[in-house]
Amino acid sequence: MDFTLSPELLALRERTRRFIDEMVIPHERQMPDIEDVAAWDGLRAKLQAAAREAGVFLPQLGAEWGGLGLNWVGNAVVFEEAGRSALGIQALNCAAPDEGNMHLIEKIGTSAQHDQYLRPLAAGAVRSCFAMTEPPPGAGTDPSLLATSAERHGKRWVINGKKHFISGASGAAFCIVMAKTDTVRGRHGATMFLVDADNPGFRVTRRPQIYDRSFIGGHCEVSFEDCEVGEDAILGAANEGFDYAQVRLRPARLTHCMRWLGAARRATEHAMAHALARQSFNSRLADHQGVQWLLADCEIDMHSSRLLIWHAAWLLDQGATASHETAVAKVAVSEAVNRVADRCIQVCGAQGMSEDLPLANLYRETRAFRIYDGPSEVHRMTIAKRLIRRADGTERGH
Ligand SMILES: Cc1cc2nc3c(=O)[nH]c(=O)nc-3n(C[C@H](O)[C@H](O)[C@H](O)COP(=O)(O)OP(=O)(O)OC[C@H]3O[C@@H](n4cnc5c(N)ncnc54)[C@H](O)[C@@H]3O)c2cc1C
């Protein structure tokens, strides 16, 4: 693998870094209240206009959607820069869940769905959500427990069920929902539907208080009550929903890693600044070996994360599914960024816990990354099962 980045990508990385430093980070001091969705959407629109002007908007989609058309390695480089601020990924329109939804709709949507859903989403005119997880006894870590159902009534489908922790649901224009459509086919009996938020059968029922402060639209409970949609609401083919979920989740878990790596880098910038400025016991904090080890361990975690991300991204660029490598990266990076956030708070002392620095927020928000898009334990389980199949010769190529 050649690690050389093209001059164009290096220039874009530099442009994105400057944009985040000069145009985005200054807004962090006046972040709206997290419940004020309209104020957040207003700020997002303003930052997106600035990102367009700076030539850094929508790195992940092609020019036909108003994007920069980067491949996965290019995304890895630019998303990391954008991830240095929670507002940065909104400005570039490469935040979850929209970024994963764009990828999915582009890949499996019809041209009518591209026009109706992808075009406004890519333009940043609307937000979206992705609804898979359900309250017990429904789908959680085990998606085969899917309880939300969709029944065919002539040419219409009627969806019923409840979902929870649906990121960005409040204020989203539409939702991609996973529902059971064939109880006999087990893992092959689920379908994805595109449901407009103004459908009378769709409701955001509750927005639970949650630790994070910068996720637009929260992580909500939503319900589908006799929610009627037409055949044209099916995303891809009926009963193929679980396969499509992998089309979305494999790259989506990697793009989470890319963004969180940027956030970890930002944390170390603050830790280094504090270590250089603060005195203790006749020297700078940075001169104490105990602090140096914390900083060095952050660098080791970030560099190894970057290599895992770039390798998996490179495989995706070669057309591989990279199921194994994206899972390995997800576990390693999610755990690494948690360690980095924790160490950086330690280096910054009490200031690290204050809202004056982005570290306490980062500490709260990265914790969830070890749970969503597959908890570490479940990825470890699938990684190990794959290793076992390779060892006993039952794997059919990878
Ligand atoms: C901030 C946040 C945002 C989210 N956004 C979305 C979203 O937009 N859309 C959506 O559909 N979902 C979303 N989720 C839900 C997320 O995908 C689920 O939390 C995740 O799939 C785990 O499901 P669960 O919480 O029901 O865990 P459970 O199924 O209750 O499992 C709990 C724990 O049990 C352990 N465990 C489970 N199975 C095994 C096993 N086989 N071996 C060992 N240990 C195991 C794991 O430690 C796991 O964390 C979000 C969650 C969070 C926290």
Side-chain angles (χ1 to χ4, degrees):
M1 181 179 176
D2 182 356
F3 290 95
T4 314
L5 303 181
S6 70
E8 294 78 21
L9 186 55
L10 287 171
L12 178 60
R13 178 167 76 176
E14 186 51 37
R15 208 159 63 240
T16 308
R17 190 175 298 174
R18 260 203 329 274
F19 173 74
I20 298 296
D21 281 334
E22 294 167 13
M23 307 296 290
V24 176
I25 289 178
H27 286 277
E28 288 181 353
R29 290 241 165 233
Q30 315 112 40
M31 295 223 278
D33 186 285
I34 190 59
E35 300 290 331
D36 192 346
V37 177
W40 270 99
D41 280 329
L43 176 59
R44 177 174 178 267
K46 188 171 150 182
L47 292 173
Q48 289 190 347
R52 258 193 210 92
E53 184 120 322
V56 297
F57 184 72
L58 199 67
Q60 72 275 15
L61 289 189
E64 66 271 40
W65 306 108
L68 304 179
L70 297 187
N71 62 8
W72 290 109
V73 170
N75 286 333
V77 171
V78 173
F79 284 25
E80 180 184 330
E81 293 305 322
R84 286 177 57 245
S85 167
L87 294 177
I89 54 180
Q90 296 294 342
L92 269 64
N93 203 11
C94 65
D98 290 340
E99 178 265 325
N101 289 347
M102 288 181 216
H103 172 68
L104 183 64
I105 300 171
E106 187 189 28
K107 260 211 136 44
I108 64 167
T110 61
S111 58
Q113 290 168 341
H114 284 173
D115 286 342
Q116 190 177 346
Y117 296 101
L118 181 54
R119 196 159 293 287
L121 194 59
V126 300
R127 290 188 289 102
S128 63
C129 62
F130 182 81
M132 169 99 124
T133 309
E134 300 168 339
T141 39
D142 183 353
S144 70
L145 296 173
L146 194 66
T148 298
S149 67
E151 279 181 26
R152 191 195 279 277
H153 291 218
K155 291 199 156 163
R156 312 286 292 167
W157 288 85
V158 179
I159 308 169
N160 277 290
K162 290 187 185 343
K163 304 278 183 181
H164 70 175
F165 293 103
I166 305 310
S167 301
S170 178
F174 67 90
C175 175
I176 300 175
V177 60
M178 182 85 126
K180 195 109 190 152
T181 37
D182 186 335
T183 47
V184 180
R185 297 176 61 168
R187 284 192 74 85
H188 297 290
T191 301
M192 285 187 182
F193 294 89
L194 285 152
V195 175
D196 295 325
D198 62 4
N199 185 313
F202 173 80
R203 258 183 337 124
V204 176
T205 46
R206 196 168 86 94
R207 181 175 170 162
Q209 283 287 334
I210 202 163
Y211 58 84
D212 93 38
R213 302 277 165 80
S214 54
F215 205 101
I216 306 180
H219 308 283
C220 305
E221 293 175 8
V222 302
S223 77
F224 300 83
E225 281 174 33
D226 295 330
C227 178
E228 210 179 301
V229 293
E231 290 280 346
D232 56 353
I234 292 179
L235 184 55
N239 296 323
E240 302 293 334
F242 283 124
D243 286 343
Y244 297 142
Q246 286 312 313
V247 170
R248 183 184 186 282
L249 289 174
R250 276 190 297 254
R253 67 174 73 111
L254 197 64
T255 56
H256 272 309
C257 294
M258 298 170 187
R259 292 181 288 256
W260 283 125
L261 175 58
R265 239 180 68 210
R266 175 88 181 284
T268 60
E269 291 163 17
H270 284 286
M272 183 59 84
H274 189 80
L276 290 173
R278 183 76 158 146
Q279 295 283 319
S280 95
F281 302 99
N282 301 321
S283 64
R284 301 176 303 180
L285 289 182
D287 299 322
H288 293 294
Q289 194 182 51
V291 173
Q292 290 169 358
W293 285 22
L294 292 174
L295 295 171
D297 284 345
C298 287
E299 173 60 15
I300 293 164
D301 269 334
M302 290 191 301
H303 190 62
S304 46
S305 293
R306 191 173 296 111
L307 292 177
L308 287 170
I309 293 167
W310 284 19
H311 178 236
W314 177 80
L315 285 172
L316 289 174
D317 284 334
Q318 312 307 306
T321 55
S323 307
H324 186 70
E325 291 77 8
T326 55
V328 170
K330 201 278 177 180
V331 175
V333 178
S334 65
E335 296 180 1
V337 295
N338 271 264
R339 290 191 296 269
V340 171
D342 185 73
R343 289 188 204 107
C344 290
I345 287 177
Q346 197 68 18
V347 170
C348 290
Q351 277 186 29
M353 295 303 294
S354 79
E355 296 297 319
D356 291 345
L357 298 181
L359 301 185
N361 194 42
L362 176 69
Y363 187 64
R364 282 193 296 266
E365 295 194 3
T366 51
R367 180 62 186 85
F369 186 28
R370 285 161 51 198
I371 297 172
Y372 58 70
D373 279 7
S376 294
E377 295 75 18
V378 175
H379 281 300
R380 283 193 165 88
M381 176 182 80
T382 54
I383 291 165
K385 281 186 176 169
R386 199 172 288 114
L387 295 179
I388 293 163
R389 286 199 301 275
R390 283 177 194 171
D392 70 11
T394 54
E395 188 178 56
R396 280 173 280 139
H398 63 278

